[in-house]
């Protein structure tokens, strides 16, 4: 509700053939931030926006992050878009990637969107409900293919008018959060796959977000710790480790030891990193993954936008890419 830099928007249309077209529209920061400029150098050095309790240290000047690049409602905005046609079962029929201009009809805070879905009425109820239904299908597919379900509530601070913390509370992730997350994951995954397909036989570099397999020794430590609390973590089949971890997380859900076991489980995982060598993303269960959806706050996403533009022949590959 207090955000100012809006990276992403969703569009929804029911097609005449019965399928559904969903657009994932991402702020076209690369239109404003050109390679080799002072603005680009500063964004490169900062690498990311830093979100503190009472302020944000932005990667880009606020004129861009909160205004020109931010996908504010009722204003024309430049985007890099991923457009997906899916059937009722969530199967991907067609996809398209390119630069667009959007005019957002409505800005939702997560709480507002959740309230509409919970009440069964309100602005864009039908569209939100259908987007959420499809997102749940994507979630099920992810878990079926090895995605690990580490659900952790976020801790938030409430400040008074002087910026002094007066309350700490848990920000619970509900369907509205998960819905947006899964559509962003869809865009990130399909952009990576599309570039991989386009670059066959072409020496085009790409920036992947990769996540290695967990360390065996750390997994064994987790197994022993879980056992002391009365839980069996079956690690006998290394092909089903993700399934075993998900089963453990389901068992501890809502119990006093949930947070502690989740924290230990997360620490068994390797760190996700950026790399030009695609080893896949173990935690998500994806063979192809990158960061495309947050270029206002992550420099990596600006690089991915430039590489996607080069892959689909919108512009040449920047000569400075070898530096990064």
């Amino acid at each position: 509700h207090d955000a100012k830099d809006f990276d992403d928007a969703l569009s929804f249309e029911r097609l005449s053939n019965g399928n559904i077209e969903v657009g994932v529209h991402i702020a076209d920061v690369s239109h404003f931030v050109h390679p080799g400029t002072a603005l680009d150098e500063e964004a490169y050095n900062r690498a990311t926006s830093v979100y503190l309790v009472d302020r944000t240290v932005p990667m880009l000047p606020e004129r861009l992050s909160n205004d020109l690049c931010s996908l504010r409602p009722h204003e024309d905005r430049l985007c890099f878009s991923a457009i997906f046609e899916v059937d009722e079962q969530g199967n991907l029929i067609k996809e398209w990637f390119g630069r667009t201009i959007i005019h957002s009809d409505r800005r939702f805070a997560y709480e507002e969107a959740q309230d509409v879905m919970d009440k069964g009425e309100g602005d864009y109820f039908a569209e939100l409900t259908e987007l959420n239904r499809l997102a749940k299908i994507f979630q099920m597919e992810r878990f079926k293919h090895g995605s690990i379900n580490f659900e952790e509530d976020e801790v938030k601070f409430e400040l008074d008018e002087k910026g002094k913390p007066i309350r700490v509370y848990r920000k619970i992730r509900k369907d509205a959060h998960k819905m947006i997350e899964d559509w962003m994951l869809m865009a990130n995954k399909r952009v990576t796959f599309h570039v991989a397909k386009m670059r066959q036989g072409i020496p085009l570099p790409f920036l992947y977000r990769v996540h290695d397999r967990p360390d065996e020794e750390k997994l064994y430590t987790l197994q022993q710790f879980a056992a002391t609390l009365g839980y069996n973590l079956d690690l006998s089949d290394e092909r089903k480790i993700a399934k075993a971890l998900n089963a453990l997380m389901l068992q501890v859900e809502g119990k006093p030891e949930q947070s502690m076991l989740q924290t230990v489980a997360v620490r068994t995982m390797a760190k996700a990193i950026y790399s030009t060598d695609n080893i896949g993303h173990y935690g998500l269960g994806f063979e192809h993954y990158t960061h495309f959806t947050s270029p206002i706050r992550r420099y990596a996403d600006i690089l991915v936008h430039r590489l996607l533009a080069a892959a689909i022949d919108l512009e040449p590959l920047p000569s400075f890419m070898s530096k990064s």
Side-chain angles (χ1 to χ4, degrees):
H1 66 89
D2 56 352
K4 296 183 179 68
D5 51 346
F6 310 138
D7 280 302
D8 54 85
L10 292 178
S11 63
F12 178 95
E13 183 178 357
R14 178 78 64 174
L15 302 177
S16 58
N17 62 5
N19 291 336
I20 300 156
E21 182 183 274
V22 177
V24 179
H25 308 280
I26 307 301
D28 188 7
V29 177
S30 61
H31 174 84
F32 298 94
V33 181
H34 299 157
T37 61
L39 183 61
D40 183 55
E41 290 292 329
E42 184 64 23
Y44 173 81
N45 288 327
R46 293 189 179 210
T48 183
S49 295
V50 180
Y51 295 88
L52 304 174
V53 172
D54 62 341
R55 73 198 68 184
T56 298
V57 182
M59 181 181 76
L60 299 171
E62 289 191 12
R63 179 79 169 103
L64 289 178
S65 61
N66 292 357
D67 183 6
L68 294 175
C69 293
S70 188
L71 306 184
R72 303 193 302 191
H74 313 300
E75 298 181 26
D76 290 349
R77 283 293 182 260
L78 303 178
C79 285
F80 220 135
S81 300
I83 312 293
F84 304 111
E85 181 181 335
V86 297
D87 64 18
E88 286 285 335
Q89 289 72 46
N91 298 306
L92 182 63
I93 308 300
K94 293 179 185 176
E95 59 187 6
W96 177 90
F97 304 91
R99 285 195 159 107
T100 58
I101 299 174
I102 72 163
H103 190 91
S104 174
D105 292 316
R106 178 69 151 81
R107 185 238 162 171
F108 279 102
Y110 284 112
E111 295 79 7
E112 289 180 294
Q114 188 65 50
D115 191 50
V116 168
M117 290 190 288
D118 289 344
K119 289 182 176 178
E121 61 180 11
D123 289 352
Y124 299 101
F125 165 71
E127 290 84 353
L128 287 170
T129 301
E130 193 65 9
L131 287 167
N132 190 42
R133 183 185 71 82
L134 291 167
K136 286 181 180 294
I137 293 174
F138 299 157
Q139 288 173 33
M140 289 174 59
E141 281 296 305
R142 275 200 294 117
F143 294 137
K144 190 163 70 174
H145 289 92
S147 184
I148 301 174
N149 186 22
F150 288 134
E151 281 288 341
E152 289 188 288
D153 294 337
E154 183 181 350
V155 175
K156 301 284 285 185
F157 293 84
E158 183 180 330
L159 309 178
D160 64 17
E161 63 278 0
K162 295 181 180 179
K164 180 181 177 181
I166 57 175
R167 186 169 74 96
V168 180
Y169 62 97
R170 289 184 181 275
K171 182 180 178 181
I172 299 172
R173 277 166 41 83
K174 296 187 176 181
D175 278 355
H177 299 88
K178 297 174 186 178
M179 174 184 76
I180 296 299
E181 179 182 83
D182 267 279
W183 280 107
M184 297 306 116
L185 290 174
M186 172 76 158
N188 286 334
K189 178 178 71 170
R190 293 307 305 178
V191 162
T192 318
F193 183 81
H194 187 74
V195 173
K197 182 175 66 175
M198 296 293 292
R199 67 183 282 209
Q200 289 179 355
I202 304 172
L204 176 68
F206 197 68
L207 187 65
Y208 300 95
R209 183 68 171 174
V210 299
H211 185 230
D212 208 348
R213 298 178 62 83
D215 180 84
E216 287 186 15
E217 188 174 324
K218 289 182 178 180
L219 275 173
Y220 177 73
T221 301
L222 172 62
Q223 183 185 48
Q224 297 300 106
F225 180 62
T228 64
L229 297 173
Y231 296 99
N232 176 39
L233 178 60
D234 183 6
L235 301 178
S236 58
D237 188 344
E238 65 174 18
R239 297 169 300 177
K240 297 181 180 179
I241 290 174
K243 186 176 180 180
L245 286 168
N246 282 337
L248 175 63
M249 293 302 104
L250 194 61
Q251 289 180 67
V252 302
E253 188 173 345
K255 297 181 180 177
E257 60 270 26
Q258 177 181 0
S259 180
M260 181 170 54
L261 263 172
Q262 281 183 335
T263 300
V264 176
V266 167
R267 290 178 179 173
T268 67
M269 296 290 108
K271 297 286 186 184
I273 62 171
Y274 294 109
S275 175
T276 55
D277 180 24
N278 184 26
I279 62 169
H281 197 294
Y282 182 81
L284 291 172
F286 291 164
E287 291 183 21
H288 301 86
Y289 192 66
T290 192
H291 275 166
F292 165 77
T293 54
S294 293
I296 290 177
R297 63 182 180 89
R298 285 191 306 233
Y299 190 77
D301 302 55
I302 297 177
L303 293 182
V304 169
H305 280 218
R306 291 172 181 164
L307 290 164
L308 176 60
I312 60 179
D313 295 326
L314 288 181
E315 58 189 51
L317 184 69
S319 59
F320 93 117
M321 290 302 291
S322 58
K323 177 186 95 169
S324 305

